[in-house]
Amino acid sequence: MQYALRFISGKYQGGEFPLQPNREIVVGRSSELDMVLVEDMVSRKHAKIITTDTQVIIQDLGSTNGTFVNGEKIKKARLKEGDRILVGTSILKLISVSDADQPDRPLDDAEIKSMMQQVATNKKKSSSPMSGRIDEVPLPDLLQLFSTSKKTGVMVIKTDEHEGKIYLKTGRIYYASVDDYHDLGPQKAFNRIMAWQKGFFELTAPTTEKFMLELDESTEGLLMDAMREIDELNRILEKCPDTSSHFGLSRPLNAPLRELDEDKLDILQLVHNESQVQAVLDKSILSDVETYQALLLLIRKGYIREKR
């Protein structure tokens, strides 16, 4: 198996660096090295990658900001296909390369350095060096990387329909919003963002904004809660009404209100006041899963029906 490192985030995004069998390369800021990454967070000699006939090994060389593999800070680790490596603000993914894509002969040092310079020159630069596609770097993996490497700033995620923001302070997630709609609440906003699978992310500068309600759970805890909710949503989503559909109270309302608990009565009131499912989801104090479950019960029991 022959491998390459693909830059999936950072100033070299889109470039690939072939790994030659039985060769050792050094990554760092120094112009004398094999893979030169010109940025402040990369040490002169940052890491070493050793490729043999059977494995790829990465070793940190005592760098100031560390080397991370799949969110874990490492001293030395064996890489496997699909692993993501964070060096400075660059995220690289180990990919396999077919024989047809391989050069006829091993590249020499001058050719490799020339390739790196072309990547740096030709690739379109973002306003932030820490950017990329979330279909290349899933959001949970990305946030674990940011948590371990103690990043500070606002991660902006843009899809075709929405813009999400996740606020970080030394790796800790303390707030989240969707489309700057703060009434949604940071927990519900974070869970919704975690369900997005396509779009672009960019880590921007820290903000001076203050929020009345902040998240205080660990990154791992937030991700576990979000993944659990996404799994539950996926199980019931086929039964759920479309977010653009409108509902109202059944007329006549024969189902007895006394059979509903407080949460269900609150959702019933929201349906009466807001009508559209998306508005009910946004204004509900319950999670999206709990709100959908309440709506399904109200439909099944005959309390509400869709407006035609």
Side-chain angles (χ1 to χ4, degrees):
M1 182 72 73
Q2 293 179 305
Y3 295 99
L5 290 171
R6 175 179 292 162
F7 289 83
I8 57 176
S9 172
K11 65 188 292 185
Y12 303 101
Q13 183 181 342
E16 289 186 9
F17 189 98
L19 297 177
Q20 305 295 333
N22 300 307
R23 180 163 180 163
E24 178 181 298
I25 65 168
V26 179
V27 182
R29 202 172 66 244
S30 172
S31 60
E32 302 171 353
L33 302 181
D34 307 297
M35 184 189 289
V36 182
L37 303 181
V38 185
E39 56 170 288
D40 293 339
M41 291 186 66
V42 175
S43 298
R44 266 190 90 254
K45 290 187 177 182
H46 197 105
K48 178 168 62 176
I49 299 173
I50 306 156
T51 307
T52 70
D53 289 332
T54 58
Q55 59 185 359
V56 180
I57 303 291
I58 187 167
Q59 179 181 345
D60 185 76
L61 297 177
S63 63
T64 302
N65 293 300
T67 302
F68 300 84
V69 176
N70 298 329
E72 297 292 330
K73 191 173 185 178
I74 59 98
K75 290 185 177 179
K76 189 174 184 179
R78 180 174 178 177
L79 300 175
K80 62 182 183 298
E81 186 179 351
D83 280 349
R84 295 176 177 87
I85 304 139
L86 176 65
V87 176
T89 62
S90 292
I91 301 176
L92 304 93
K93 182 179 181 180
L94 184 69
I95 61 169
S96 63
V97 183
S98 69
D99 292 338
D101 296 329
Q102 288 296 309
D104 294 334
R105 56 177 176 76
L107 300 177
D108 60 30
D109 293 343
E111 288 172 313
I112 289 177
K113 287 183 180 180
S114 174
M115 182 182 301
M116 291 300 298
Q117 289 171 354
Q118 287 177 351
V119 170
T121 302
N122 296 335
K123 290 301 170 183
K124 183 179 179 182
K125 295 179 177 63
S126 165
S127 58
S128 164
M130 189 62 102
S131 61
R133 298 184 59 87
I134 62 175
D135 37 334
E136 279 277 15
V137 198
L139 285 171
D141 294 356
L142 193 60
L143 287 169
Q144 286 176 331
L145 282 171
F146 288 173
S147 174
T148 312
S149 54
K150 301 188 182 302
K151 298 292 184 188
T152 296
V154 181
M155 185 166 71
V156 180
I157 307 102
K158 294 182 179 180
T159 70
D160 291 340
E161 298 176 341
H162 300 288
E163 178 180 278
K165 295 178 182 177
I166 297 176
Y167 295 75
L168 299 148
K169 187 181 297 178
T170 60
R172 186 182 72 83
I173 300 166
Y174 67 94
Y175 194 75
S177 67
V178 173
D179 298 327
D180 289 324
Y181 179 61
H182 297 281
D183 289 348
L184 194 63
Q187 181 73 64
K188 187 180 284 189
F190 179 80
N191 289 353
R192 286 189 185 179
I193 293 170
M194 286 301 100
W196 299 352
Q197 296 181 343
K198 291 187 177 181
F200 298 87
F201 76 87
E202 181 177 9
L203 184 64
T204 62
T207 179
T208 57
E209 289 179 272
K210 303 292 183 183
F211 305 106
M212 292 183 63
L213 179 64
E214 293 190 356
L215 300 167
D216 57 7
E217 198 171 350
S218 68
T219 297
E220 292 76 13
L222 288 169
L223 288 172
M224 285 180 64
D225 289 344
M227 295 304 105
R228 184 163 50 245
E229 175 162 311
I230 290 168
D231 286 343
E232 291 175 6
L233 267 177
N234 288 336
R235 281 197 291 270
I236 65 171
L237 212 50
E238 287 185 1
K239 305 175 186 176
C240 295
D242 189 85
T243 54
S244 62
S245 57
H246 291 256
F247 280 78
L249 299 183
S250 297
R251 294 178 183 275
L253 181 57
N254 295 320
L257 294 176
R258 63 177 176 272
E259 293 185 3
L260 298 178
D261 59 28
E262 291 182 3
D263 287 342
K264 305 299 187 305
L265 285 171
D266 285 344
I267 299 301
L268 187 68
Q269 185 177 20
L270 280 174
V271 171
H272 178 63
N273 292 337
E274 304 296 336
S275 176
Q276 190 186 40
V277 171
Q278 185 63 64
V280 173
L281 289 165
D282 290 346
K283 292 184 178 294
S284 171
I285 62 171
L286 304 177
S287 70
D288 285 342
V289 167
E290 292 168 331
T291 304
Y292 268 129
Q293 289 172 337
L295 285 170
L296 289 172
L297 181 141
L298 293 174
I299 294 169
R300 189 171 67 252
K301 297 285 189 179
Y303 291 94
I304 61 175
R305 64 183 178 186
E306 188 172 0
K307 293 181 178 180
R308 301 295 182 182

